[in-house]
Every structure is written in C-alpha cells, then in structure tokens.
Amino acid sequence: MKFRNFKLTGYVVYGNGSFDQLGEIIAPKRKDNAPMIFFVDEYFRDKPDFLNRIPLEGQDKIVIIDVTHEPKTTYVDKLRDELTAAFGTVSGIIGIGGGSVMDMAKAVSLMMSNPGSSADYQGWDLVKVPGVYKVGVPTISGTGAEVSRTCVLTGPTRKLGMNSDYTVYDQILLDPSLTASVPVNQRFYTAMDCYIHCVESLTGTYLNAFSKSYGEKAQELCEEIFLQKNNWDSDSDEKLMMASYAGGMSIAYSQVGVAHAVSYGLSYLLGTKHGIGNCIVFDKLEEYYPEGVAKFKEMVKKHNIDIPQHITKGLTDAQFDTMINVSLGMAPLWENALGKDWKEKIDAKKLRALYERL
Ligand code: NAD
Ligand code: ZN
C-alpha cells in the first residue's frame, strides 16, 4: 500500500483523577474466571495509598514490574509463562507505569495468544493474532508509548520492537495527576524524548501535514512548560501528558532521526536508558538540529539538569564499531533525517567522531 493505514488506540480517557474510573471502564471486558492482571511500575511497590486504588476483583493480580533494565524478551516470556501456568488465560492486562511498563504490558498481552518467544516477533507485522485486552496508564509523560504501534524489547540478537496493528492499546487512561511524583531529572529525560521526537519529525524528510500538526503542538507545549513557565505545577503535568500523546501521534506518521539512531547504539552497547541516552546524544547534535539543540540547552540550564558527559571514554575500537553498526543499521531513521542519499552524508568515520564526543 502506498499510504500507511494506521491503527489507532481504541478508547481514550483523559483527566486528573480519571484513574478512579478504571474499574468501571474494564468491567465489561471481564470474562468468567479469567482475572485482570495489573502490571505496576516498581516505584509504586511501597505506595499503599496508590495500590489501594487499583480496582481488584476476584482472582485479579498485581504484578510489580522491575524496571531496572529496559524490557527484555526473556522477561516478557517469563511473565507470560507464569500467568498461563497460574490462570490458563486472563481477561486483560493493564500496564501502569513509565514507558518500560507500557511496553511490557503490550508485549505480554500479545504473547498470551501468540505461540513461542517474543523474540520471534521482533520486527514488522510478524504478530498474527490479537493479544488479550490491554490498557495503558502512563505514570510518566514523554515516550508516546501509550499511542504507538510498537513495544521495544531487547532480545538475544537485537533491540527491536514488536511492531504491529495488534500492539496498539485497546484503551488508554491519561491521568496527569499520576505523574506528579516523578523526580525532576527523570521527568526531564523522559519529557525530552517527546521534545526530540518532535524535532526529528518536524525537520525530517518524511514530514507531512498530519505529522506536522501534532509535532508542532507537542513542541509548543514542551517549550511552554520548560522555557516560558517558571514553576512546575499540575498544569505542567497536564500539558506534558498531552505533549507526549501528540508527539507519539506525530512520529506515527513520520519517523525519528539522528538522536534516536545514535542513542540506540549507546543503549545496545552500554545499556544507556532511552530518555537519558537521547539527551546525551541530542546535546551534541547542533550540526543536524541547530535550533532544537539550542532550545534544549536552554531548558537544561533553566532546570539545572545533569546531562552525563564522556560516557564513551576508554571504549575499544571494537566497541565503537558495535555502536556504529547498530546505528547505521537504522536506515529509515537516517533516511528521514538526511534524505534518500543519506549514505553520502554519514559514514562510520563521521559517526565515530560523534560517538567520541558523547
Ligand atoms: P521508565 O519506564 O524506565 O521509568 C523511569 C523511572 O521512573 C523508573 O525508575 C520508574 O520506576 C520511575 N517512575 C515511573 N512512574 C513514576 C512516578 N509516577 N513517580 C515516580 N517515579 C516514577 O522510563 P521512560 O522514559 O518512561 O520509558 C523508557 C522506556 O520506554 C524504554 O524502555 C524505551 O525503549 C521505551 N519507549 C517505548 C516507545 C514506544 O513507542 N513503545 C517509545 C519511546 C520509548
Ligand atoms: Zn524516543
């Protein structure tokens, strides 16, 4: 097909306090004797006031998700095996947390009905049957994982998402008040994932009016809350949650660019997390995104954020080569950023020089 035909999220609820409506929303999706499973970010492990708001019934279960590392196929398969052994099937999976939990809930939902290992489905449109009902409740804003058609997983041979129409959430619940507790640095790193999505989409060669409309709005919201406002308040949480949503919609119909291509290499070799990795790279991309990087630096300064430096110091030639190969393997990202003749504009030598500056 010449034009992409995008599957969107089924239902969306938005508003402070909307989390307390979750029980009512999922009630019609409950099947006899099959529990709802709540994947909850480990941050909430010792927060009984929050855990008590989860609408548990019958055999429903809370599974605390370890987010020390970004989601791995082995972790997805293990949770699927445990749920299948305990319950046979489940009515649905509700992911409550940051981008890592968003992706874990999507992946396990799919693996409840697709045979084999999640590693078999890393790629494009390899998932053939829908998963169980799934709901996404983000508790940090920025990744856009709540609206995307992928869930990024690290597998035995590569870091790649299960990209498919079935990956999209059936329902999302956007309650900005859930994000109020995110620490300042983390909030910034994840928010900048959104800001960088916008810059990469808006300056990319894949841009069209659909992507542009969402990207401009998301970028405007980020600049308002991080540059124009002087205090962080509930209005900022509300706007950042909508920026994340719009940023995700923007890249759905375009693509990310240089920051993501380079940061994937860091993440593959060093395990650098997505949000902070993008910031480390974007900080050095003035050649590709002069305006975006200048504004980013202003935001870093204004919010007194710590951007790690010299993280590639002392790496071997082989290690640099690994990062370079992972990065150059992301052809659509480079093509979006630099055009069809991208191979004439970026090569291993130039990329090595960039990695050495990080
Ligand atoms: P994260 O999910 O790793 O969470 C960051 C930290 O914030 C964690 O320590 C978590 O416990 C904590 N946290 C979560 N909610 C909190 C709250 N309300 N208060 C206090 N602390 C809280 O980080 P992230 O940046 O949200 O997500 C990164 C992940 O998202 C990566 O795995 C990346 O690959 C993935 N991602 C996916 C997509 C997609 O389209 N599927 C897009 C971008 C990124
Ligand atoms: Zn991203």
Side-chain angles (χ1 to χ4, degrees), residues 206 255-258 260-261 264 289 330-338:
Y206 289 4
Q255 186 46 280
V256 287
V258 180
H260 277 76
Y264 267 113
Y289 305 114
M330 325 269 333
L333 283 64
W334 289 107
E335 185 182 302
N336 176 46
L338 306 177

Side-chain angles (χ1 to χ4, degrees), residues 69-341:
H69 304 289
E70 295 192 343
K72 292 191 167 74
T73 54
T74 45
Y75 192 20
V76 171
D77 296 350
K78 176 173 166 277
L79 289 184
R80 184 268 317 268
D81 293 346
E82 285 170 7
L83 291 177
T84 309
F87 305 108
T89 186
V90 303
S91 288
I93 295 188
I94 292 106
I96 305 170
S100 299
V101 176
M102 290 296 96
D103 284 357
M104 281 299 294
K106 287 178 178 180
V108 176
S109 154
L110 292 172
M111 294 314 296
M112 291 304 291
S113 39
N114 285 277
S117 164
S118 47
D120 304 337
Y121 301 97
Q122 287 180 281
W124 281 268
D125 303 304
L126 302 173
V127 182
K128 295 293 182 245
V129 252
V132 298
Y133 174 69
K134 55 186 170 320
V135 181
V137 183
T139 65
I140 309 192
S141 301
T143 65
E146 63 277 20
V147 291
S148 73
R149 80 190 286 277
T150 190
C151 50
V152 184
L153 303 176
T154 305
T157 54
R158 61 206 153 162
K159 184 176 175 187
L160 186 61
M162 295 164 78
N163 297 262
S164 81
D165 283 353
Y166 302 123
T167 311
V168 180
Y169 273 118
D170 298 299
Q171 167 86 56
I172 56 173
L173 187 149
L174 306 177
D175 182 343
S177 66
L178 301 180
T179 64
S181 53
V182 181
V184 176
N185 272 304
Q186 181 64 56
R187 183 171 68 206
F188 188 84
Y189 300 144
T190 302
M192 285 305 114
D193 190 19
C194 170
Y195 187 72
I196 295 166
H197 290 157
C198 297
V199 173
E200 292 181 321
S201 168
L202 291 170
T203 58
T205 58
Y206 289 4
L207 189 67
N208 58 32
F210 183 100
S211 282
K212 190 163 183 261
S213 315
Y214 283 108
E216 283 176 347
K217 188 67 206 174
Q219 191 174 39
E220 178 194 311
L221 288 167
C222 288
E223 289 176 4
E224 180 186 338
I225 54 185
F226 285 105
L227 285 177
Q228 288 150 25
K229 283 179 69 163
N230 288 320
N231 294 313
W232 195 272
D233 55 13
S234 61
D235 170 73
S236 318
D237 284 325
E238 289 166 23
K239 286 179 171 152
L240 186 53
M241 191 159 265
M242 286 320 298
S244 174
Y245 179 93
M249 291 294 288
S250 178
I251 42 169
Y253 225 118
S254 59
Q255 186 46 280
V256 287
V258 180
H260 277 76
V262 176
S263 113
Y264 267 113
L266 286 182
S267 148
Y268 187 82
L269 183 79
L270 305 172
T272 315
K273 291 192 168 184
H274 189 78
I276 196 169
N278 281 347
C279 287
I280 292 169
V281 176
F282 198 64
D283 193 43
K284 303 285 188 284
L285 293 186
E286 56 284 330
E287 179 185 341
Y288 300 95
Y289 305 114
E291 268 181 54
V293 173
K295 287 220 167 105
F296 168 82
K297 285 182 187 287
E298 258 181 77
M299 297 186 214
V300 168
K301 196 165 165 220
K302 177 162 176 156
H303 294 268
N304 204 12
I305 303 295
D306 173 37
I307 305 291
Q309 305 288 331
H310 312 302
I311 65 160
T312 59
K313 200 172 164 202
L315 293 181
T316 63
D317 286 346
Q319 287 175 312
F320 276 109
D321 286 345
T322 301
M323 293 193 292
I324 291 165
N325 289 335
V326 168
S327 182
L328 289 178
M330 325 269 333
L333 283 64
W334 289 107
E335 185 182 302
N336 176 46
L338 306 177
K340 287 214 181 306
D341 57 347

Side-chain angles (χ1 to χ4, degrees), residues 19 22 38 40 49-57 62 96:
F19 185 71
L22 183 60
F38 297 85
V40 178
D49 287 353
F50 179 76
L51 295 177
N52 288 333
R53 291 171 65 197
I54 294 177
L56 295 176
E57 281 184 25
I62 292 179
I96 305 170

